[in-house]
Amino acid sequence: MKFKDGYWRLRPGVRADYATAAHDVTADARSLRILAPARPITHRGHTIDGPVLRVDLSSPMPDVIRVRMVHFAGSVPAAPVFEVRDDAPDVDLAVDAEQASLTSGALTVRVRRDAPWEMTFSAGGRELTRSAGKSLGAMRDPDDRHFMVEQLGLSAGELVYGLGERFGPLVRNGQSVDIWNEDGGTSSDLAYKNIPFYLTNRGYGVFVNHPGRVSFEVGSESVSRVQFSAEGHDLEYLVIHGPTPKDILRRYTALTGRPALPPAWSFGLWLSTSFTTDYDEATVASFVDGMAERDLPLSVFHFDCFWMRRYRWCDFEWDPEVFPDPEGMIRRLKERGLRVCLWINPYIGQASALFDEGATAGHLLRRQDGTVWQDDHWQAGRALVDFTSPAAREWYAGKLRGLLDMGVDAFKTDFGERIPTDVAYADGADPERMHNYYTLLYNETVHQVLAERGAPVQFARSATVGGQRLPVHWGGDCESTFEAMAESLRGGLSLGLAGFGFWSHDIGGFEGRPDPAVFKRWVAFGLLSSHSRLHGSSSYRVPWLFDEESVDVLRSFTRLKARLMPYLYGAAVEATAEGLPMMRAMQLEFPGDRGCDHLDAQYMLGPDLLVAPVLSADGDISYYVPEGTWTRLLDGETVSGPGWRTERHGFDSLPLLVRPGAVLATGAREDRPDYDYADGVTLNAYRLPDGARRTVTVPSSGPSPDGGAGAVFEVSRTGDRVSARRVAGAPARWSLRLHGGPQTSDGPRVTAEPGTDDIEITL
C-alpha cells in the first residue's frame, strides 16, 4: 500500500506521524523500550499532546532482533498470533546520551537518541539496513483507517527475494505485494501461500510477524527502501542475520518451524482421477491396470472431489451410486501396493448432513449477528468449519478418522484461501487477522489426524507462516501451457525461499488438455520435483491418452526418480533438519555468483543436482552453469562453467547436471520409491578433487519416519586413488563408481563383497 505521492508529498487525505527521535529509553536485562514522539521535543511542553510511538527491541534467539512498534496498546487484538520460538538468549545492552544498542550474536541494532530518527542493523562491522527519517510511523488513510508502517533501506545492487508463493519474477525489487491469501490461479499477483518474510543478497532477512494483511512496497514507493505496513496499532518484525541465504533460512525456520518428514512412499508417482472427469471403480481399475501393463511405477492413487456426492462437499461419504463398495475398492488398491489419497476442503455444503449437525453444535463459523455464515460459492449454501473451536476441530477430525479406518492414507487439503472477514470466531479472534491464519488451523487439524497413524503427508494448496511444518504443498490451478509451467516453477522456488521444504504441481497443468509436447516436458519437470502428481481438471492425465512416447518418457523419469531416492530422501531429511528446501533457487546455493541472482527457470534439486526444465516443444533451452566442470547425469558428458549454454533436448532428456566434487548416492531399485536405500547403494563420485573427503549418509526409508541413517560412508581422494569406507550400517552390497574424470564417461566401478568395509579405485 502506497501512502506517498512521489517522494516529497503524502497522497491526498493521508496523515503521517513518523518517529522523530528516541526521546526516552529504558532497559531491562533483555530488552530496550523506546518512546519515540512524532514531533521534535525541544522543551517540556512538547511532551503534551501528539502521538508517541513505543518501540520495543529484544531478541528471541542469537543473530535475530525483534522490533515491536505500538501506537495504542489497548487496540491490539489478542489473537491470532504466530507461534515464534523464543530462547531468551543473552544480549548486550548499552544506553548513553547519544545512542542505545542491543547485540544478539553477531547482529547489533543501534538507535540514535536525537533527531532525526535513525535505527541501524549491522553485523561484522558492516551495516545491513536501516530505518531512517520518515520510515517508522503511524498513518491514517482518507477513510481514517489506522496503519503502522516501517521502511528499511536497500543498498545499491541489493536484491530482495521471498514473500511466499509468487508467480512473477523471482527478484521482488519494484513489486507491490499484499500478504493476503486468495484463490487466484498462477497467472496474477494473487497467491495461495503468502508469507511476510523476505531475504536479500546483503546477508539478512526480515520476518514481519503479523498474521493479517501486510502490504509490501519493495523498492516501489521509495526505490531505495522496502516498506511494509499493516492496518491496526501494532506491527512487529524480526531482522535475521545470515550471512548466507542458507543461514537466514535456517534461523527463520528455527523461529517458525521446520517441515515434518513425509513418508518415503509419497515421493513416488501420484495418479489422480482428475476433477470433473467421469470415473468409478472400473475407471480407476483401468488406469491402474494400464500403468502396470506399461511398466509404469505408481505409488499413490488420488480420488478428487466427486468421490463424494454432488452438492454435499464435504460430508465425507462416498457416492454410493459410483462407489458402492469403497472399503473393498481401497483394499483391492492396497493389494496392488498402492496408497490412497482423498480430496477434502474445510467447507460444508448445505445439502450435507453435516451442515445441520455442525450448526446445532456450534462448529460452523458465524456472522457477527450469530447466524451461520453462508454463501453459494463452490457449494450451494456452503458454511465454514470454525477451527478456532477445539470442539469443532475434534468434530472435523473425527470424520477423517473414519476414512483412515477404511484404509485411506492421505488427504488433499484444498481451498482455505478466500476466508470472509464479516464473521465472529468462537475464540474471539480478529477476523481480519484470521483470513490468512485460517489455513494453518485447517491444515494442522488434518496433519494431526494423519500423524496419529504414522508419518503424515497431505497435499495442501493454501498456507501461511508455519504452514511449512505441514507438507506437502502444491502450486495450485494453472493452465496447460509452457508459460504456466514456468509460472508454477517460479511460484515453487519463491515458496522454497520461505522455508517450505516440499512442493509439487499438476503435471501437464490443471486447466485444459495439454498438448503432448507440454505434457512430456512437464513430466520431466514433475519427476524432478520433490513430489510428483498427474492431475487435471476436465481431462485425464494417463500418458497413453497423449501418445506412446509420453508413456516412454513417464517410465524413464519415474524410474530415474526411484534410483535417485537415496540422494533425494537425504535432501528431504536435510529439509526437516535445517529448513532448506529440496528445490532450491540457484541464488540459495550460489550466493556469490551474480549470474545466479535472477535465475528463475532452473534450480538445484538438493545440493548437487542442477535441473533446467525445457519450456519449449522443439527442445531448445538456454541455461546457466556455475563455476566448475559439471557432469550430465543422463549421458556422462561434462559441461564447464561459469557461463550460459544453449542446447536442444529430446523429450527423454533435459539439462540435469551433477555438481563438481559431489558424491551422489543412487539406489538399486527403480520400481518404487520406498526400499532399503543402503542395500545395493552406489556411491557415484563426480570429479572429486585431490585431497577431498566427503561423508555420505544414506537415509533409512522406514519403518521409522525420522529418516535416520541406514548407512554412512566416507569417500576420499589421495593422488590417483579414490577410496570409500563404510563408517556405519551394514549393507549387504555397495559400490563405488567414478564419473567425469579422464576415464570413460561411464567410469570405473568397484563393488564391495558382503562384510567389506573399504574399497578403492586407482585412476
Side-chain angles (χ1 to χ4, degrees):
M1 179 176 182
K2 293 182 172 68
F3 295 101
K4 289 184 176 179
D5 177 14
Y7 184 73
W8 305 107
R9 299 189 300 179
L10 295 171
R11 294 193 169 195
V14 172
R15 290 168 291 165
D17 292 305
Y18 292 112
T20 59
H23 184 71
D24 186 275
V25 179
T26 56
D28 60 22
R30 294 189 54 231
S31 64
L32 296 173
R33 172 159 290 183
I34 296 165
L35 299 182
R39 63 175 179 174
I41 305 299
T42 59
H43 60 80
R44 297 175 70 181
H46 287 165
T47 63
I48 301 171
D49 293 331
V52 174
L53 305 177
R54 193 185 82 203
V55 181
D56 294 331
L57 303 177
S58 59
S59 174
M61 62 182 291
D63 291 289
V64 179
I65 289 177
R66 177 195 291 120
V67 180
R68 180 165 177 78
M69 309 149 44
V70 179
H71 186 196
F72 291 157
S75 298
V76 177
V81 294
F82 292 129
E83 295 181 14
V84 177
R85 172 178 167 181
D86 194 334
D87 294 337
D90 292 333
V91 296
D92 292 328
L93 300 172
V95 180
D96 59 31
E98 296 183 351
Q99 68 175 15
S101 68
L102 182 150
T103 298
S104 174
L107 181 63
T108 297
V109 59
R110 294 181 177 85
V111 183
R112 187 164 65 185
R113 298 292 303 271
D114 60 357
W117 170 262
E118 183 178 86
M119 181 166 61
T120 61
F121 298 87
S122 60
R126 175 173 175 260
E127 182 178 313
L128 302 177
T129 188
R130 69 170 56 197
S131 170
K134 294 187 177 181
S135 291
L136 186 154
M139 317 292 285
R140 291 188 184 272
D141 71 2
D143 297 323
D144 205 36
R145 295 183 301 165
H146 189 284
F147 296 81
M148 299 298 289
V149 64
E150 173 67 296
Q151 290 183 340
L152 296 178
L154 290 173
S155 300
E158 186 172 357
L159 302 178
V160 177
Y161 305 87
L163 301 179
E165 174 187 63
R166 312 241 72 86
F167 303 108
L170 192 66
V171 174
R172 300 274 89 88
N173 296 57
Q175 298 181 27
S176 298
V177 175
D178 272 4
I179 303 299
W180 193 250
N181 287 355
E182 295 282 9
D183 174 7
T186 66
S187 298
S188 73
D189 60 350
L190 303 182
Y192 306 97
K193 310 167 194 69
N194 293 269
I195 311 297
F197 164 75
Y198 68 87
L199 65 165
T200 89
N201 62 348
R202 197 167 171 80
Y204 70 95
V206 176
F207 165 41
V208 181
N209 185 16
H210 190 288
R213 185 192 297 269
V214 182
S215 294
F216 285 86
E217 299 293 340
V218 186
S220 47
E221 175 159 283
S222 172
V223 296
S224 60
R225 296 180 180 182
V226 175
Q227 174 177 290
F228 42 91
S229 61
E231 186 173 1
H233 287 266
D234 71 309
L235 190 61
E236 177 176 297
Y237 67 92
L238 296 89
V239 176
I240 304 169
H241 174 234
T244 71
K246 287 184 177 180
D247 291 332
I248 298 166
L249 272 190
R250 289 184 183 105
R251 293 192 172 104
Y252 169 73
T253 55
L255 288 167
T256 60
R258 289 175 177 156
L261 180 63
W265 56 259
S266 72
F267 290 80
L269 183 62
W270 298 46
L271 175 61
S272 166
T273 59
S274 291
F275 171 32
T276 60
T277 51
D278 291 328
Y279 53 85
D280 53 16
E281 184 175 356
T283 309
V284 172
S286 73
F287 289 165
V288 174
D289 288 342
M291 298 290 281
E293 290 164 2
R294 293 166 176 84
D295 201 20
L296 296 168
L298 184 63
S299 296
V300 184
F301 195 89
H302 168 71
F303 293 85
D304 219 54
C305 314
F306 282 96
W307 69 273
M308 291 179 282
R309 294 170 293 173
R310 66 193 69 187
Y311 298 123
R312 291 167 175 81
W313 306 339
C314 282
D315 65 358
F316 307 107
E317 298 287 341
W318 290 84
D319 185 337
E321 294 184 5
V322 181
F323 299 105
D325 181 23
E327 293 93 339
M329 179 182 63
I330 292 172
R331 184 181 67 254
R332 288 184 282 275
L333 290 172
K334 294 266 185 169
E335 288 170 352
R336 305 191 66 167
L338 297 177
R339 305 285 180 155
V340 175
C341 175
L342 297 182
W343 175 96
I344 61 172
N345 70 21
Y347 312 143
I348 308 294
Q350 186 169 278
S352 167
L354 300 188
F355 180 87
D356 289 340
E357 182 182 326
T360 300
H363 298 329
L364 304 182
L365 189 56
R366 296 185 177 271
R367 297 186 185 274
Q368 294 173 351
D369 64 5
T371 60
V372 174
W373 184 95
Q374 290 182 263
D375 72 2
D376 286 326
H377 179 68
W378 187 242
Q379 291 288 280
R382 69 156 181 167
L384 283 70
V385 178
D386 185 349
F387 288 104
T388 69
S389 163
R393 293 181 69 161
E394 179 56 31
W395 174 71
Y396 190 87
K399 309 303 179 184
L400 302 183
R401 291 189 187 101
L403 296 168
L404 297 180
D405 290 340
M406 285 186 183
V408 172
D409 300 283
F411 295 108
K412 171 183 169 181
T413 50
D414 206 353
F415 289 89
E417 301 96 358
R418 293 186 184 271
I419 306 302
T421 56
D422 56 338
V423 292
Y425 282 92
D427 71 345
D430 177 74
E432 193 271 347
R433 298 186 182 209
M434 274 298 301
H435 173 90
N436 293 334
Y437 197 87
Y438 182 92
T439 178
L440 184 61
L441 298 180
Y442 162 42
N443 280 292
E444 275 184 341
T445 301
V446 178
H447 183 87
Q448 289 165 4
V449 170
L450 290 168
E452 295 169 2
R453 309 298 176 101
V457 64
Q458 59 208 70
F459 235 79
R461 189 174 75 173
S462 57
T464 187
V465 174
Q468 71 272 8
R469 301 192 302 261
L470 317 168
V472 171
H473 294 81
W474 101 94
D477 298 346
C478 54
E479 300 291 333
S480 296
T481 64
F482 285 116
E483 292 78 13
M485 187 174 159
E487 294 163 6
S488 296
L489 174 55
R490 292 193 295 266
L493 295 182
S494 186
L495 187 66
L497 291 173
F500 284 71
F502 307 98
W503 175 80
S504 187
H505 44 95
D506 294 338
I507 294 175
F510 177 71
E511 296 287 353
R513 187 179 189 277
D515 179 87
V518 171
F519 180 77
K520 286 177 282 195
R521 297 297 185 193
W522 211 315
V523 161
F525 169 38
L527 270 301
L528 291 168
S529 300
S530 89
H531 286 73
S532 311
R533 182 178 73 159
L534 294 165
H535 179 70
S537 177
S538 58
S539 61
Y540 304 120
R541 289 292 181 266
V542 287
W544 53 89
L545 296 181
F546 297 94
D547 57 28
E548 283 306 308
E549 188 179 29
S550 295
V551 175
D552 296 336
V553 171
L554 182 63
R555 182 188 304 111
S556 174
F557 283 101
T558 304
R559 289 183 173 278
L560 172 64
K561 186 174 187 182
R563 293 195 301 273
L564 287 171
M565 277 304 296
Y567 165 76
L568 294 177
Y569 208 57
V573 172
E574 185 180 25
T576 67
E578 300 189 39
L580 303 178
M582 286 188 67
M583 299 174 67
R584 304 174 183 180
M586 297 295 292
Q587 203 272 344
L588 185 61
E589 278 293 334
F590 301 96
D593 186 340
R594 298 307 298 265
C596 292
D597 284 350
H598 291 265
L599 298 180
D600 54 20
Q602 62 185 78
Y603 57 95
M604 296 297 293
L605 182 57
D608 294 325
L609 282 180
L610 187 157
V611 184
V614 178
L615 302 171
S616 66
D618 60 15
D620 288 343
I621 181 172
S622 293
Y623 65 99
Y624 180 79
V625 182
E627 184 177 4
T629 301
W630 297 62
T631 305
R632 300 201 314 203
L633 183 69
L634 299 181
D635 63 14
E637 297 298 319
T638 57
V639 177
S640 295
W644 286 85
R645 288 184 61 89
T646 299
E647 298 173 352
R648 172 166 287 194
H649 287 260
F651 290 114
D652 61 348
S653 179
L654 79 168
L656 178 57
L657 309 183
V658 185
R659 195 171 188 162
V663 179
L664 203 70
T666 57
R669 297 189 63 170
E670 57 180 20
D671 59 330
R672 60 185 303 138
D674 48 340
Y675 56 92
D676 184 349
Y677 300 142
D679 184 18
V681 69
T682 298
L683 307 175
N684 298 274
Y686 288 86
R687 302 188 69 84
L688 203 64
D690 190 14
R693 188 177 299 274
R694 305 280 188 266
T695 298
V696 181
T697 299
V698 179
S700 170
S701 65
S704 172
D706 63 1
V712 180
F713 302 91
E714 189 176 84
V715 181
S716 61
R717 177 181 172 185
T718 303
D720 62 354
R721 291 180 299 138
V722 178
S723 59
R725 181 171 63 91
R726 183 184 64 83
V727 177
R733 301 172 295 123
W734 59 281
S735 302
L736 172 65
R737 187 172 187 175
L738 305 188
H739 299 261
Q743 67 284 336
T744 63
S745 60
D746 287 341
R749 174 175 181 154
V750 174
T751 299
E753 297 298 327
T756 301
D757 290 339
D758 297 272
I759 54 179
E760 183 178 282
I761 295 176
T762 300
L763 298 177

